[in-house]
Amino acid sequence: MENKELLGEIEELKLKKDALILAHYYVDGDLQEVADFVGDSYALAKKAVASEKKRIVFCGVKFMGESAKLLNPHKRVFLVDKHALCPMADMITGRDIEEYRREYKDLCVVTYINSTAETKAHSDVCVTSSNALRIVKKIQADNILLCPDKNLGTYIKSQLKDDLKDKNVLIHDGYCHVHEDFTYEAIQEAKAKHPKAPVLVHPEINPACYDLADYIGSTSGILKEARERPEEEFIICTERGILHQLQKDSPHKKFYFTDLKQVCYNMKMLNLEKLRDCLRDDLNEVFLDEDVMEKASRPLKKMLEMAE
């Protein structure tokens, strides 16, 4: 099937099913183009809540579809590919969190949105890379657990060291393989090739690379920085799917990546054919246990409240 015909079929099905298509910046560009809204985890969570559409179709990984369902229990939520997972999300469980709670009293569990619904159900508040600093700064508990991403946790702790000086901050040992694999040497090499290019990095990156960054922030923050800074070229240290939006925002600018792969293969499992099939055949609907739904929705709603 030619791409034009496939796109037409998707548009027709979207209208027929009253569907909102959401896409993360890391999926392929053709999916970003067909989506009603493209964003990072925080923006997509808010968009899912604001929509009046009867169903939400997520071009992203499993935890994103679960989060959309938690925030929209009365809407039908679908994943383009149910096998597209986030390895980091599986690096912590509810059982792990309860072990922390037994050891530390007055504990606030701050869980990255890149986590399973089951993990969220044991958490106090969720965060994204966009809002984590604002939220953690407001927490009053004596003990704070930042999970599952050790690199985001390390970044939060480093940025809020004065605010957290009287707190006991615990950091779980999970990570995103795409960002963990960045090395100081690889970024140095990119800087040597492009000495005029500022280095923009995601806080999930290996902390050993912080010193080389001109900016550390969320996916949306990196896009904003590249769009608004006067420089004409940038070194981008996050998943390569962001390039599509970078080039749309600033077609006259140049964007470089390191020689590392920088690819989330789970995000790249999605394509237009799978989106069409999902819409047409009602595939991969997200269902969650009612008890998990009730408990896991609380930290997500708390996130939206505290991030304002």
Side-chain angles (χ1 to χ4, degrees), residues 235-252:
I235 296 167
I236 306 298
C237 297
T238 189
E239 213 276 347
R240 285 177 178 261
I242 194 177
L243 179 62
H244 183 78
Q245 191 64 44
L246 285 166
Q247 292 177 327
K248 283 187 68 175
D249 288 350
S250 307
H252 59 289

Side-chain angles (χ1 to χ4, degrees), residues 259-297:
D259 291 335
L260 303 171
K261 292 180 180 179
Q262 296 179 239
V263 172
C264 174
Y265 294 106
N266 281 275
M267 288 285 194
K268 299 303 186 280
M269 290 169 63
L270 283 59
N271 57 45
L272 290 173
E273 288 79 8
K274 289 181 179 179
L275 173 59
R276 184 271 317 278
D277 294 347
C278 174
L279 283 164
R280 184 189 62 199
D281 302 326
D282 294 344
L283 299 177
N284 310 323
E285 186 166 2
V286 177
F287 296 102
L288 295 170
D289 178 83
E290 285 189 18
D291 184 55
V292 171
M293 285 273 291
E294 180 184 355
K295 293 177 180 177
S297 63

Side-chain angles (χ1 to χ4, degrees), residues 24-41:
H24 194 274
Y25 289 123
Y26 295 168
V27 300
D28 283 338
D30 50 6
L31 285 169
Q32 294 186 44
E33 284 299 303
V34 78
D36 296 295
F37 187 80
V38 183
D40 60 10
S41 298

Side-chain angles (χ1 to χ4, degrees), residues 17-280:
K17 299 290 181 79
D18 193 29
L20 176 77
I21 300 177
L22 301 178
H24 194 274
Y25 289 123
Y26 295 168
V27 300
D28 283 338
D30 50 6
L31 285 169
Q32 294 186 44
E33 284 299 303
V34 78
D36 296 295
F37 187 80
V38 183
D40 60 10
S41 298
Y42 180 46
L44 294 176
K46 292 201 299 182
K47 204 68 179 179
V49 173
S51 174
E52 296 181 358
K53 297 289 185 179
K54 294 179 180 178
R55 69 174 63 195
I56 298 166
V57 179
F58 233 109
C59 300
V61 292
K62 184 180 179 181
F63 80 80
M64 296 179 179
E66 288 185 342
S67 295
K69 184 64 178 178
L70 292 170
L71 291 168
N72 300 272
H74 303 300
K75 296 177 184 177
R76 298 184 72 184
V77 178
F78 297 82
L79 288 162
V80 172
D81 190 326
K82 65 181 179 181
H83 301 294
L85 308 176
C86 172
M88 178 170 65
D90 294 323
M91 292 182 184
I92 192 167
T93 66
R95 180 178 294 180
D96 295 327
I97 291 175
E98 293 311 313
E99 288 181 5
Y100 280 109
R101 289 196 189 279
R102 282 191 288 272
E103 186 171 354
Y104 300 94
K105 305 305 179 186
D106 191 27
L107 176 68
C108 181
V109 179
V110 180
T111 302
Y112 197 13
I113 198 171
N114 298 34
S115 57
T116 66
E118 188 264 346
T119 296
K120 290 181 176 74
H122 292 262
S123 306
D124 295 304
V125 64
C126 287
V127 296
T128 71
S129 52
S130 299
N131 62 33
L133 295 177
R134 295 200 301 277
I135 289 174
V136 174
K137 189 174 183 178
K138 297 177 181 179
I139 292 172
Q140 299 299 312
D142 291 334
N143 299 296
I144 300 172
L145 171 63
L146 304 176
C147 64
D149 183 17
K150 63 181 180 181
N151 295 337
L152 178 62
T154 299
Y155 177 71
I156 292 169
K157 189 173 181 178
S158 70
Q159 294 301 296
L160 297 179
K161 55 187 176 183
D162 291 334
D163 299 277
L164 300 177
K165 63 183 178 181
D166 298 323
K167 310 287 185 184
N168 178 33
V169 181
L170 309 163
I171 298 175
H172 189 71
D173 195 30
Y175 59 88
C176 165
H177 69 89
V178 175
H179 294 94
E180 174 72 2
D181 287 347
F182 277 96
T183 65
Y184 195 91
E185 292 74 21
I187 299 176
Q188 271 191 321
E189 289 177 11
K191 285 172 67 73
K193 293 177 184 176
H194 313 288
K196 296 181 180 179
V199 178
L200 312 183
V201 312
H202 194 281
E204 289 180 25
I205 199 170
N206 189 322
C209 304
Y210 287 172
D211 290 347
L212 294 173
D214 295 287
Y215 171 82
I216 303 175
S218 67
T219 312
S220 58
I222 289 172
L223 287 162
K224 184 175 184 290
E225 195 76 1
R227 185 169 61 247
E228 297 182 356
R229 286 182 71 126
E231 291 89 350
E232 294 295 314
E233 54 184 1
F234 298 87
I235 296 167
I236 306 298
C237 297
T238 189
E239 213 276 347
R240 285 177 178 261
I242 194 177
L243 179 62
H244 183 78
Q245 191 64 44
L246 285 166
Q247 292 177 327
K248 283 187 68 175
D249 288 350
S250 307
H252 59 289
K253 294 186 178 183
K254 295 181 179 180
F255 303 99
Y256 309 111
F257 292 83
T258 70
D259 291 335
L260 303 171
K261 292 180 180 179
Q262 296 179 239
V263 172
C264 174
Y265 294 106
N266 281 275
M267 288 285 194
K268 299 303 186 280
M269 290 169 63
L270 283 59
N271 57 45
L272 290 173
E273 288 79 8
K274 289 181 179 179
L275 173 59
R276 184 271 317 278
D277 294 347
C278 174
L279 283 164
R280 184 189 62 199

Side-chain angles (χ1 to χ4, degrees), residues 293-307:
M293 285 273 291
E294 180 184 355
K295 293 177 180 177
S297 63
R298 294 173 192 166
L300 277 173
K301 291 175 181 176
K302 189 72 172 176
M303 174 188 77
L304 296 176
E305 292 170 9
M306 292 183 70

